Amino acid sequence: MACSFDAFDHGVLMGILAERIDDNRFLRIVRELLNAGYLEEWKFNKTLSGTPQGGVVSPILANIYLDRLDKFVEQALIPMYNRGDRRKDNRAYQALHTRIKYWEKKGDWEKVKDLDKQFRSMPSKVAQDPDFRRLRFIRYADDFLLGFYGPKTEADAIKQQLTDFLETQLKLKLSEAKTLVTHARQDVAKFLGYEVTILDSDTSRDSKGNRNINGQVGLKVPESVVKAKRKPYERNGKPMHRPELLCNEPLSIVAQYQAEYRGVVEYYRMAYNLHKMNHLRYVMEVSLLRTLAQKYKCSCTRVARKLKTTIKDGDTCRVALQVKVEREGKKPLLAQWGGISLAYNVRAKTLDDQPPQVWNRRSELVERLLADTCELCGSTENVEVHHIRKLADLRKKGQKELPKWARFMTARRRKTLVACRDCHEDTHYSASRKKATG
């Protein structure tokens, strides 16, 4: 179930804030922030409801607003619908277990085998126990999920109570597209990009032969997510190179691919079908090889042979691609592709094998990390990187002579310049002065 940020009522929000905050000046600032309006296609629009999007205060105000919902569920709904300590034992299950023991003593193993198949498909507890109910609630920002063990009629009643509370107390309307009552064993509920379901398998066994996953909550990677993540690396359904990265160094290209892939995999680390990401890994790897092949002006096979390496992951050795940049007197810079396991493991681990951070597309990773000397004055202190959007910005109409730093960048046809802080400030000063006089 979900509601939307833009539906928050300003009067209700200010009333909630006024209950705990006595500073009228602060409340007036919040009120002015909520009523500031927004520009769309250079047209001013008033904000009659909702919180300002993109600001750090928006999720804070949303959590303050929806705290009323949390308290309603925890103090009213959960005590009302939770009852019973545990489900009753299934008498038919117990009786069948007794019969199996009886025929085992008789030595009729054919009979035992037939009864055991029936026994392993039968629930050990009463499926529809009228004396047992459970309601669980979780919320993240404006998305929330309720898990209920009980009949659908009661689930519909819970949904109606939530709808009435939100409309009367918080003046919110539930999203019809997202607010669904789903049977978790037959379908999936979508929450924070995951598909939530209840596991049901009579064949999965623990070391003692007992069913070990029935009734447990399982998280899945949606197929639509895998398809969407493959799109930037495909063209007409086939892996293709990324021309926007060809101006970057190989180290930066490999580091960016690895960071993008790792980000997706680690987010869906708790999914039991994480192996679905194997297709994404294949598409990204072919795209990476083709991008590097375009960069090196050679074949993908030659790139793979040149960068192929083996890395250790515990007792397992994995094949990966690695780019190394040597530095005098320092450890070499390394960036690798691969080596990320897709084995089901809900425990997060330290990401200690990542290369240094890629700042953005305009900044070259290698140039930043190798920036030990100013290219203008030779200084080695406080070295930074100056960058521009395009080389055409260096020369303006009517300009007689370019400054030294602009001539340097023009001669080398580079959009980045390694400079000490003093020279870097001079570039910005001369650029702003040129803009003002131009």
Side-chain angles (χ1 to χ4, degrees), residues 58 109 128 195 215 231 239 244 285 346 349 361 363 365 369 383 394 402 437:
S58 181
W109 300 109
Q128 299 294 333
E195 290 182 344
K231 255 187 177 180
E244 72 274 12
E285 184 170 317
V346 296
K349 65 177 183 178
R361 293 183 180 179
S363 305
L365 176 63
L369 296 175
V383 177
L394 295 174
L402 292 176
T437 55

Side-chain angles (χ1 to χ4, degrees), residues 254-264 336-337 354-355 358:
V254 174
Q256 183 165 341
Y257 269 83
Q258 181 80 339
E260 291 172 357
Y261 178 65
R262 179 184 288 277
V264 177
Q336 73 178 31
W337 162 261
Q354 294 190 87
V358 180

Side-chain angles (χ1 to χ4, degrees), residues 36-146:
Y38 63 95
L39 283 175
E40 185 175 2
E41 296 182 356
W42 296 103
K43 183 180 179 182
F44 177 78
N45 298 272
K46 294 182 178 180
T47 49
L48 303 178
S49 64
T51 55
Q53 299 299 295
V56 294
V57 73
S58 181
I60 297 174
L61 294 176
N63 280 322
I64 293 173
Y65 197 99
L66 292 175
D67 180 64
R68 294 285 182 89
L69 171 64
D70 299 343
K71 290 179 178 177
F72 171 72
V73 175
E74 293 171 359
Q75 298 173 6
L77 291 183
I78 290 180
M80 182 186 303
Y81 286 95
N82 273 7
R83 61 177 180 266
D85 295 330
R86 53 179 296 177
R87 289 184 294 162
K88 296 176 182 177
D89 292 332
N90 186 355
R91 292 184 178 180
Y93 181 86
Q94 299 295 334
L96 189 58
H97 183 263
T98 303
R99 288 180 62 192
I100 291 174
K101 292 296 182 182
Y102 172 79
W103 289 110
E104 283 180 351
K105 291 181 180 179
K106 292 288 186 178
D108 191 343
W109 300 109
E110 288 295 328
K111 189 73 172 179
V112 169
K113 186 177 180 180
D114 293 339
L115 292 176
D116 190 62
K117 288 182 180 180
Q118 183 182 351
F119 178 73
R120 291 178 181 274
S121 63
M122 184 181 295
S124 61
K125 303 292 182 182
V126 176
Q128 299 294 333
D129 188 351
D131 298 324
F132 181 84
R133 296 286 185 271
R134 279 296 179 271
L135 179 63
R136 295 290 185 261
F137 171 75
I138 184 172
R139 179 178 67 83
Y140 183 88
D142 64 336
D143 288 335
F144 60 89
L145 182 72
L146 289 112

Side-chain angles (χ1 to χ4, degrees), residues 151-275:
K152 187 175 185 296
T153 54
E154 294 185 21
D156 290 332
I158 293 172
K159 177 183 175 181
Q160 188 59 47
Q161 287 178 278
L162 277 173
T163 302
D164 295 341
F165 172 81
L166 291 172
E167 289 181 355
T168 57
Q169 299 296 322
L170 299 181
K171 297 184 179 179
L172 290 176
K173 188 175 181 180
L174 286 174
S175 170
E176 293 297 330
K178 296 181 180 180
T179 309
L180 304 172
V181 177
T182 305
H183 194 298
R185 284 185 183 269
Q186 301 172 1
D187 204 348
V188 295
K190 296 182 179 180
F191 184 64
L192 300 181
Y194 278 91
E195 290 182 344
V196 186
T197 186
I198 297 296
L199 303 178
D200 187 10
S201 175
D202 293 328
T203 58
S204 179
R205 306 280 175 175
D206 60 16
S207 58
K208 296 181 180 180
N210 299 319
R211 288 170 291 183
N212 59 349
I213 66 170
N214 276 7
Q216 294 187 21
V217 176
L219 301 178
K220 296 172 61 179
V221 180
E223 190 65 33
S224 58
V225 169
V226 181
K227 290 181 180 179
K229 296 300 181 182
R230 292 201 314 258
K231 255 187 177 180
Y233 312 97
E234 291 181 326
R235 188 181 304 162
N236 298 326
K238 295 182 179 180
M240 293 297 294
H241 72 283
R242 295 171 65 183
E244 72 274 12
L245 299 181
L246 293 178
C247 59
N248 294 350
E249 293 291 333
L251 180 79
S252 188
I253 295 173
V254 174
Q256 183 165 341
Y257 269 83
Q258 181 80 339
E260 291 172 357
Y261 178 65
R262 179 184 288 277
V264 177
V265 170
E266 295 302 334
Y267 181 82
Y268 288 100
R269 175 60 64 187
M270 293 184 291
Y272 66 84
N273 66 336
L274 189 62
H275 60 274

